[in-house]
Amino acid sequence: MAKDNKKRKNNKHDENLSTEAPHILDFSNYKMITSIEDKAENKKFEMLKIGINKYYEVEIPKNVKKYGNITIPNNSEDKDEKDEKDESFNKKIILDDFKDEMSKYALKNINNIKSDILTNISMNLASNLKNKVTGRKTIYVTENIPLMGHTAFGVIDRGTNIIQVRGHSGCNIRCPFCSVDEGTPSKSRINDYYVDIDHLINTFERVVGYKGNNKLEAHLDGQGEPMLYHPLPELVERLNDVVSKGSGIVSIQSNGVNLSYKLIDELEEAGLHRINLSINAMDEKFSKGLSGKKTYNIEKIKEMAEYVKNSKIHLLIAPLLLPGYNDEEFRKVIDYAVDLQNRIPQNTINPITNKLNPILGVQLCLTYQFGRKVPNMKIWDFKKFYELLNTLENEYTKQGFDVHLKTPLKYYGSRPMRRIPCPFSLNETVENVKVVAEGRIFGEVIGIARDRVIQIINCKNTEKLLGNTVNVKIHRVKDNVIVATLC
Ligand SMILES: C[S@@+](CC[C@H](N)C(=O)[O-])C[C@H]1O[C@@H](n2cnc3c(N)ncnc32)[C@H](O)[C@@H]1O
Ligand code: SF4
């Protein structure tokens, strides 16, 4: 497994400077290893749980025959405390049998054990990575899988200056209306993806290189909760390093559940320009219902929203109207956003528009093929939605407030821009597509050809296809999102 050679601010550890005794293996230098825990379900199958990028894990055998007796230092801090201070997670393994052994032979053995553990982690990363939040198998996407072509991960260019960046899939809540059927349980989503940060940045830079680095917005969104990418501040900082050269910005979509004071501080320092916060109800019970989680805490999210308001990160509140279902609560969210803006006005100027951003980005709940549906919600068209928004705007005007609820994308500085060409055409037959991974939903596998990933749908026996080459017929090429079926 590659050691992290980048000397970033947060990576204070240096193996060569370690003063630890040789029998204490310290994995702090391997940035993706974020915790090590004991998993002793029974004596026969003692395993080590290796936390990968905070929200993922692999398990490797606690090989007593090879490693001798192992102790894992205890994390005494309580969980919340640990979540705030990522550094406090244990990243060490103590080889008890080598405690008093300092011979050359013992040192060689210790090194062998360390590389054996690292090899084991690498192998499991490729085939047994699990998302701790969703419980799903996760495909760790590295440079051998291109990052354009799929909607669940990678980079999407829809021909504007907004480039969508999707570092992972998977969500920590389960909204009953979710367009992408995220969170657990999910009827349709069977696998998650995590993209290696260097690969993501390289692809992003290539896309920027083609489009021209002129007032771009790197927008972190996706099929899941973008705040669950780790290391998020580093991702924001590196994207910002790129787009800020062309007076661009980095923004993120979020349900707010994972926000903490520490994360907001880090994101502010990393140069995040805007958070689009999805809040759909103010009432405690109602908001829990609309999040699908009993643990959802609207008061905590409000606290975090205030903290963002007091930072340089622009806060945009993005409530969703589920007609006939949350009408009153939708209205209350708008009231909340207006009140918050009056109490804590922000002066962060969007360098793309040279103006302040809108404070509200209201949305209409729609139904999607693979999305979830709230049974008693009415289906509205946009005409009806805009009529309601006009009425609400007029009501606010009467009360003396200038509230804009119709906020076309151009208010955020969105404009058409040349797009990355698509190497496929509709209905084309493509030969020798290599099947490299399992798909996001049942009956799907992921193929690669011409520097794109192809979502190959409606497959039977997906396991048998893995590692093989197939011929496919292309059914979708729009926005370089490639969908195909087997020929
Ligand atoms: C799929 S979510 C992903 C980002 C993040 N988890 C969140 O909820 O903000 C992106 C946006 O889509 C919105 N959304 C989800 N389901 C929707 C639906 N059925 N119709 C319209 N918008 C929807 C969410 O409210 C959110 O603003
Ligand atoms: S709408 Fe966003 S927060 Fe809600 S389940 Fe879907 S991805 Fe998660």
Side-chain angles (χ1 to χ4, degrees):
M1 189 171 45
K3 197 155 78 174
D4 174 46
N5 289 319
K6 294 216 169 58
K7 294 251 184 289
R8 302 198 70 83
K9 263 178 286 176
N10 292 338
N11 199 12
K12 298 174 199 126
H13 310 276
D14 187 332
E15 201 174 36
N16 299 326
L17 300 178
S18 170
T19 51
E20 299 265 32
H23 73 289
I24 300 177
L25 304 183
D26 186 354
F27 292 87
S28 305
N29 225 23
Y30 297 85
K31 208 172 48 163
M32 68 159 60
I33 299 178
T34 43
S35 62
I36 300 179
E37 285 173 75
D38 228 337
K39 189 194 176 198
E41 269 169 13
N42 63 49
K43 274 271 168 221
K44 258 190 189 165
F45 295 106
E46 285 188 297
M47 306 289 276
L48 295 175
K49 250 196 224 180
I50 314 290
I52 302 290
N53 292 323
K54 203 166 173 182
Y55 303 107
Y56 303 87
E57 70 186 15
V58 291
E59 286 179 12
I60 64 165
K62 198 172 166 185
N63 197 336
V64 184
K65 258 193 195 160
K66 246 187 187 167
Y67 310 152
N69 201 38
I70 281 180
T71 312
I72 305 300
N74 234 344
N75 289 311
S76 52
E77 296 93 336
D78 73 37
K79 188 132 193 354
D80 288 346
E81 182 65 0
K82 276 194 281 168
D83 282 344
E84 274 288 297
K85 294 194 243 138
D86 185 34
E87 294 76 16
S88 69
F89 277 100
N90 170 58
K91 293 167 197 165
K92 289 177 187 167
I93 290 174
I94 302 172
L95 303 173
D96 296 331
D97 293 3
F98 291 86
K99 206 171 170 189
D100 304 315
E101 277 253 37
M102 292 296 279
S103 68
K104 247 186 176 179
Y105 177 73
L107 290 178
K108 198 174 162 206
N109 265 348
I110 289 173
N111 277 337
N112 286 344
I113 290 173
K114 187 163 186 179
S115 59
D116 192 65
I117 290 173
L118 288 170
T119 308
N120 225 324
I121 294 174
S122 278
M123 279 162 52
N124 277 282
L125 210 57
S127 51
N128 287 318
L129 184 66
K130 185 174 136 189
N131 184 331
K132 288 200 264 184
V133 178
T134 63
R136 288 178 213 132
K137 179 174 175 178
T138 300
I139 289 118
Y140 198 98
V141 179
T142 53
E143 62 277 350
N144 47 354
I145 300 183
L147 291 186
M148 291 193 85
H150 211 288
T151 46
F153 64 92
V155 177
I156 305 176
D157 166 28
R158 298 188 196 266
T160 72
N161 62 323
I162 300 175
I163 304 171
Q164 290 167 277
V165 180
R166 301 185 163 181
H168 75 110
S169 64
C171 190
N172 46 1
I173 59 174
R174 189 188 179 273
C175 307
F177 52 81
C178 181
S179 54
V180 290
D181 189 18
E182 251 307 327
T184 29
S186 168
K187 271 191 190 149
S188 56
R189 315 290 143 154
I190 52 169
N191 291 307
D192 281 330
Y193 301 85
Y194 174 92
V195 185
D196 171 75
I197 191 163
D198 292 334
H199 188 29
L200 197 53
I201 294 290
N202 287 343
T203 304
F204 181 75
E205 282 177 335
R206 276 172 51 208
V207 173
V208 170
Y210 183 86
K211 289 175 80 73
N213 195 351
N214 180 18
K215 301 201 167 195
L216 296 172
E217 176 170 342
H219 184 55
L220 291 157
D221 69 353
Q223 297 187 0
E225 173 48 34
M227 288 279 176
L228 293 176
Y229 189 84
H230 181 84
L232 185 63
E234 180 183 333
L235 178 60
V236 169
E237 186 185 329
R238 290 174 71 178
L239 290 170
N240 196 43
D241 283 349
V242 179
V243 293
S244 60
K245 290 189 188 109
S247 301
I249 58 170
V250 183
S251 62
I252 191 167
Q253 189 88 44
S254 175
N255 61 31
V257 171
N258 214 37
L259 282 174
S260 65
Y261 293 113
K262 178 174 179 266
L263 185 59
I264 296 167
D265 287 347
E266 287 175 348
L267 292 174
E268 181 184 36
E269 205 191 319
L272 182 66
H273 176 79
R274 190 180 69 239
I275 296 177
N276 297 356
L277 184 64
S278 305
I279 308 181
N280 306 310
M282 299 311 295
D283 177 75
E284 193 194 324
K285 255 193 177 167
F286 211 112
S287 60
K288 278 188 198 295
L290 276 184
S291 76
K293 287 272 171 214
K294 284 191 186 124
T295 49
Y296 182 88
N297 182 351
I298 186 68
E299 291 307 317
K300 188 199 162 206
I301 290 178
K302 277 163 65 184
E303 195 181 317
M304 292 302 123
E306 291 224 2
Y307 195 66
V308 175
K309 269 296 215 184
N310 281 299
S311 76
K312 283 188 252 162
I313 305 170
H314 177 84
L315 182 75
L316 176 128
I317 295 185
L320 201 57
L321 174 72
L322 287 76
Y325 191 76
N326 76 334
D327 311 55
E328 255 185 56
E329 292 297 319
F330 173 75
R331 178 71 195 262
K332 281 196 225 160
V333 179
I334 297 173
D335 286 343
Y336 168 74
V338 172
D339 174 62
L340 190 60
Q341 173 66 7
N342 285 332
R343 281 193 293 118
I344 317 171
Q346 282 185 292
N347 57 8
T348 302
I349 297 288
N350 183 339
I352 298 180
T353 56
N354 286 323
K355 290 185 183 140
L356 293 168
N357 291 299
I359 55 156
L360 274 154
V362 297
Q363 309 171 87
L364 174 65
C365 191
L366 306 168
T367 51
Y368 291 86
Q369 187 193 0
F370 289 111
R372 285 192 286 267
K373 295 158 189 81
V374 172
N376 13 12
M377 180 189 106
K378 290 185 192 134
I379 308 292
W380 273 20
D381 57 19
F382 278 97
K383 188 171 170 276
K384 216 164 172 188
F385 185 52
Y386 284 116
E387 277 167 14
L388 172 76
L389 299 186
N390 278 333
T391 311
L392 293 178
E393 280 181 352
N394 290 337
E395 281 178 23
Y396 280 111
T397 308
K398 276 185 204 152
Q399 291 166 26
F401 295 113
D402 185 22
V403 177
H404 296 272
L405 297 176
K406 292 170 294 196
T407 48
L409 278 173
K410 66 172 187 218
Y411 278 33
Y412 304 86
S414 170
R415 63 178 197 286
M417 217 173 159
R418 84 173 181 153
R419 59 171 80 223
I420 303 278
C422 180
F424 303 107
S425 45
L426 211 55
N427 296 322
E428 182 186 351
T429 298
V430 183
E431 293 179 348
N432 294 323
V433 174
K434 182 137 200 257
V435 178
V436 290
E438 290 165 43
R440 172 90 165 124
I441 58 172
F442 289 103
E444 180 189 312
V445 289
I446 291 187
I448 55 176
R450 301 178 198 166
D451 198 25
R452 297 287 182 274
V453 277
I454 302 176
Q455 305 173 46
I456 309 172
I457 58 168
N458 300 339
C459 304
K460 288 187 187 121
N461 296 326
T462 47
E463 307 92 79
K464 281 194 182 153
L465 295 172
L466 291 175
N468 291 326
T469 48
V470 294
N471 298 340
V472 302
K473 186 174 176 192
I474 304 286
H475 297 287
R476 178 193 161 136
V477 291
K478 192 168 172 248
D479 299 329
N480 257 303
V481 172
I482 319 293
V483 181
T485 51
L486 292 174
C487 289

